[in-house]
Amino acid sequence: MSAADILDILHPLSDAEIAKHSQRFFKTGPGEYGEGDIFLGIRVPVLRKQIKALRQEALCDVLQLLQSPFHEARLLALLLLVDRFERGDAELKQQVFTAYLAHTEHINNWDLVDASAHKIVGAYVQDKSREVLYELAVSDSVWQRRIGIIATFWFIKDDDFKDALALALILGHDHHDLIHKAVGWALREVGNRQRTVMEDYLIQHYATMPRTMLRYAIEKLPQSRRQEYLKGKI
């Protein structure tokens, strides 16, 4: 089945009102981070229901779908790549990982990154060199930088925090709000596993990190402790 055939399946599932809301929510206006993105108006659970019927499609067709101008088509392609990676042998995992990194220009909104980066990039490099994460973290592309930090969520769940903290330091003064949020989220997840590790990092860096990053990082702390950070009283 070609990418065009898959789009023929998706179009009847679209909803104009959902699409209109998504255009605003994902900041598709002039000068915004999602400028020019086009939405069909399909909820994520509806897309996930298509995976079983499409999981045998050729990798080339899935990658062609990833190049679609429609946001939901790209998201479905990424969900199919995650499914293929999780079910694949070592050779297929390598193919999916390589293809993913070769198509990051189409993984171009935060939800697309967050649905896939840790499950493909993080999972693949877990027992290999993680140098690619550091290369992504210094990319000119905000989406590649976000892929780098979100990939570390795969390690965080196993109490492996080294790369998350190292990338947080590299990205600590990034200019983009979406990176502030992603780094803060990663730090919060570290804190959910081991609060002392997160706080050791924050005590050193909270005074100079972007406010949004700090707010995301301390979100799960007790109110009194959050106020100490926000008022600079640590």
Side-chain angles (χ1 to χ4, degrees):
M1 187 183 299
S2 69
D5 292 330
I6 298 174
L7 282 172
D8 286 342
I9 295 172
L10 294 182
H11 278 290
L13 304 174
S14 63
D15 182 293
E17 283 302 312
I18 294 175
K20 185 177 179 180
H21 174 268
S22 296
Q23 296 282 152
R24 295 193 301 271
F25 184 75
F26 288 101
K27 307 295 184 184
T28 62
E32 295 182 310
Y33 61 74
E35 180 176 358
D37 206 352
I38 305 171
F39 285 78
L40 292 168
I42 306 174
R43 301 289 192 196
V44 175
V46 176
L47 290 175
R48 290 190 181 278
K49 288 181 179 179
Q50 313 308 312
I51 293 174
K52 185 175 181 179
L54 298 172
R55 62 170 39 123
Q56 300 303 322
E57 300 304 318
L59 181 59
C60 61
D61 291 328
V62 176
L63 295 175
Q64 187 66 41
L65 187 67
L66 183 57
Q67 299 173 54
S68 172
F70 295 108
H71 186 100
E72 293 91 343
R74 301 198 304 281
L75 178 53
L76 177 58
L78 291 166
L79 295 175
L80 289 168
L81 288 177
V82 169
D83 180 76
R84 187 162 302 208
F85 183 93
E86 292 175 341
R87 291 171 171 272
D89 58 15
E91 181 179 0
L92 184 54
K93 289 181 188 296
Q94 190 274 332
Q95 290 175 358
V96 172
F97 168 78
T98 300
Y100 185 92
L101 290 182
H103 289 79
T104 56
E105 66 186 286
H106 305 292
I107 309 171
N108 56 354
N109 215 313
W110 60 263
D111 64 317
L112 304 180
V113 173
D114 296 0
S116 58
H118 60 304
K119 295 181 178 180
I120 295 177
V121 179
Y124 185 77
V125 303
Q126 183 172 30
D127 58 352
K128 302 175 181 66
S129 169
R130 300 178 185 179
E131 183 60 31
V132 66
L133 304 184
Y134 295 84
E135 295 172 1
L136 291 166
V138 297
S139 169
D140 290 337
S141 165
V142 62
W143 308 119
Q144 289 190 351
R145 299 198 303 276
R146 189 166 175 116
I147 287 169
I149 188 65
I150 295 297
T152 68
F153 281 53
W154 191 262
F155 320 138
I156 291 171
K157 68 180 177 59
D158 292 328
D159 293 342
D160 179 354
F161 309 132
K162 178 180 178 181
D163 295 288
L165 297 177
L167 291 176
L169 192 58
I170 292 171
L171 296 167
H173 298 285
D174 196 277
H175 68 276
H176 205 294
D177 182 64
L178 287 174
I179 302 301
H180 301 171
K181 292 175 180 178
V183 173
W185 182 20
L187 292 171
R188 185 185 71 199
E189 291 305 304
V190 170
N192 285 342
R193 304 290 301 182
Q194 291 188 28
R195 176 176 164 180
T196 56
V197 174
M198 180 192 73
E199 291 220 53
D200 285 346
Y201 180 90
L202 288 181
I203 287 169
Q204 295 182 62
H205 302 291
Y206 84 97
T208 58
M209 67 172 51
R211 201 69 165 177
T212 297
M213 189 183 295
L214 176 61
R215 287 186 178 277
Y216 269 63
I218 64 176
E219 187 177 22
K220 297 296 182 66
L221 294 180
Q223 172 67 12
S224 60
R225 189 62 168 168
R226 293 202 305 272
Q227 287 303 311
E228 288 179 332
Y229 278 108
L230 292 173
K231 293 177 180 179
K233 294 183 177 180
I234 300 296

